[in-house]
Amino acid sequence: MKKYLLLIEDEKLWEKFKEMIKQDINTEIINLIKKKIGMGIKNE
């Protein structure tokens, strides 16, 4: 699997996201991508 660099320019938005996540950041981002493309999310 390829890995990509995620750049967030809005520091406040990034801090809010980090406070909201329940799992590690990579898993949360993968879940957001799956939700966006309609694949659903396991373990919810």
Side-chain angles (χ1 to χ4, degrees):
M1 175 184 284
K2 293 182 181 179
K3 293 187 179 184
Y4 298 92
L5 177 63
L6 179 66
L7 297 175
I8 305 293
E9 294 182 5
D10 186 336
E11 291 292 328
K12 290 180 182 177
L13 181 63
W14 180 244
E15 288 300 322
K16 187 174 181 180
F17 176 73
K18 288 195 303 185
E19 290 172 4
M20 289 175 39
I21 63 175
K22 298 174 188 161
Q23 301 172 4
D24 65 283
I25 290 174
N26 289 331
T27 302
E28 291 289 344
I29 292 170
I30 293 293
N31 287 343
L32 288 171
I33 292 168
K34 286 180 178 180
K35 184 176 179 182
K36 185 70 175 178
I37 63 174
M39 287 181 62
I41 301 172
K42 295 180 185 175
N43 302 327
E44 264 200 343

